[in-house]
């Protein structure tokens, strides 16, 4: 539970930071919401989904596990795009909130020993011509705890296995497996060869989970219970359902946080500032030089000296000094030449900050190719014509306003 709390807290902080950068935080918010809800719904039961393309035998696998027909199986899948759930008769009533959370209406029950704390879902085909089928799978995958990716000797190297569908979800599940079904169509040597090649494809094409790709088990669902013995053995290994659920939630939260970091261009390894120290120092020096050129500190210094002399004449230079001071004041000369505060406030009469803004803008523009795509629009808006100059003007006005009059 501690790991879950820490992972969700980290995700919340990441969402807040990403929102401040105007990044898209909706996917991460959905992960956080689902994880929070799942913690309160049957945490001692895990949900396994059978996922795969048309004709790979997902329904036949489920029927073989059940020892009876649970989900209709055929070369052409049924027209329905809704998932079918298989759950224990002893626990199904307690699992109603979980089934509602999954948005599963079709439920079949069983009395299989050792599978009382697992709900198996037979999902629509991911490669169906009906887009609603794939949408249904994408909608339910964020809510399942374990995935069994089902393929066969003919389809294991298909593009479907390599596309962003698996790439997206492999990293969000702590426990998963790849089932090579229909091995009854191959001889023993060919089965070992195809299984090894599939394992190689997974290692090469898909992100590893905890340093290794998901395991490959062989099945021949057409042979009934005998043909799914490896799958049943793997299911039995997940005895602690609470741990399975907790690990999935932690993995999902971490994956969502990593996705936010990628949008922001943040990586754990090799992180470096967009602008190196040397370029940053040069840009600042150029910008400061141009600001000081317009402010004219030398002129303000002359004004300060004149103001000091004016006070000296008035206070301690005798009758002639007093007469001179009165004359300067009446003529307005003292106001023009002995008012450093006023001189600073009228900096706009001596030029603009365009050149100072250009120095900063060029540095940011040069770094733009290294900015994460999700942030480029914001960087570009911050440096567009007029925006940066107005921000510099506002900052300078604030600094000048804080200077005391002499």
């Amino acid at each position: 539970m501690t790991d879950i709390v820490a992972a969700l807290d980290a995700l919340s902080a990441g969402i807040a930071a990403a929102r401040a950068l105007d990044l898209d935080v909706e996917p991460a918010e959905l992960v956080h919401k689902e994880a929070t809800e799942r913690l309160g719904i049957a945490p001692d039961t895990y949900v396994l989904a059978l996922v795969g393309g048309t004709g790979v035998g997902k329904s036949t696998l489920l029927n073989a596990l059940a020892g009876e027909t649970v989900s209709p199986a055929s070369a052409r899948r049924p027209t329905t795009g809704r998932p079918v759930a298989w759950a224990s008769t002893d626990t199904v009533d307690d699992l109603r909130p979980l089934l509602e959370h999954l948005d599963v209406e079709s439920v079949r029950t069983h009395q299989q020993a050792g599978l009382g704390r697992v709900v198996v879902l037979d999902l629509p085909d991911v490669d169906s011509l009906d887009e609603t089928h794939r949408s249904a799978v994408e909608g339910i995958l964020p809510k399942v705890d374990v995935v069994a990716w089902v393929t066969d000797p003919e389809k294991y190297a298909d593009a479907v296995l390599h596309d962003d569908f698996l790439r997206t979800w492999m990293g969000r599940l702590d426990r998963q497996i790849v089932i090579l079904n229909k091995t009854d169509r191959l001889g023993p040597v060919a089965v070992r060869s195809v299984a090894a090649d599939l394992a190689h494809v997974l290692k090469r094409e898909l992100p590893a989970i905890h340093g290794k790709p998901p395991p490959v088990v062989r099945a021949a669902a057409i042979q009934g219970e005998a043909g799914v013995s490896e799958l049943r053995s793997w299911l039995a290994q997940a005895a602690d359902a609470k741990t399975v659920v907790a690990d999935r939630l932690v993995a999902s939260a971490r994956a969502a946080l990593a996705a936010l970091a990628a949008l922001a261009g943040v990586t754990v390894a090799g992180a470096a500032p967009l602008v190196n120290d040397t370029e940053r120092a040069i840009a600042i020096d150029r910008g400061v030089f141009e600001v000081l050129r317009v402010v004219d500190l030398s002129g303000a210094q002359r004004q300060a000296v004149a103001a000091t002399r004016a006070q000296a004449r008035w206070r301690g230079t005798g009758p002639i000094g007093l007469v001179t001071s009165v004359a300067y004041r009446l003529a307005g000369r003292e106001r023009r030449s002995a008012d450093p505060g006023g001189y600073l406030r009228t900096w706009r009469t001596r030029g603009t900050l365009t050149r100072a803004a250009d120095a900063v803008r060029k540095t940011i523009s040069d770094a733009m190719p290294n900015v994460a795509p999700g942030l480029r629009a914001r960087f570009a808006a911050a440096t567009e014509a007029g925006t940066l100059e107005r921000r510099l003007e506002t900052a300078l006005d604030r600094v000048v306003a804080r200077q005391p009059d002499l």
Side-chain angles (χ1 to χ4, degrees), residues 250-305:
V250 170
S252 296
R254 289 174 177 170
L257 185 59
L260 288 178
L263 283 178
V266 177
T267 58
V268 175
L274 291 173
V275 179
N276 63 45
D277 291 343
T278 300
E279 293 172 341
R280 181 173 180 271
I282 292 174
I284 292 175
D285 287 346
R286 289 177 178 172
V288 170
F289 174 81
E290 294 299 337
V291 170
L292 293 180
R293 182 182 61 82
V294 175
V295 171
D296 186 16
L297 288 182
S298 297
Q301 184 180 22
R302 291 192 296 270
Q303 293 268 333
V305 171

Side-chain angles (χ1 to χ4, degrees), residues 17 24 38 77 88 98 122 139 179 203 229 255-256 269 301 378:
D24 181 11
R38 183 67 175 90
R77 294 280 291 174
S88 170
L98 177 59
D122 180 22
I179 302 173
K203 183 177 181 179
S229 58
Q301 184 180 22
R378 181 167 183 174

Side-chain angles (χ1 to χ4, degrees), residues 204-271:
R204 184 187 70 231
E205 299 289 342
L206 299 174
I209 305 301
H210 298 311
K212 58 183 180 180
V216 176
V217 300
R218 293 165 291 186
I222 195 68
Q223 297 176 354
E225 293 187 42
V228 293
S229 58
E230 285 190 40
L231 174 59
R232 183 178 292 277
S233 175
W234 184 81
L235 289 174
Q237 293 173 14
D240 187 354
K242 288 184 178 181
T243 299
V244 172
V245 174
D247 289 346
R248 191 271 294 185
L249 296 179
V250 170
S252 296
R254 289 174 177 170
L257 185 59
L260 288 178
L263 283 178
V266 177
T267 58
V268 175

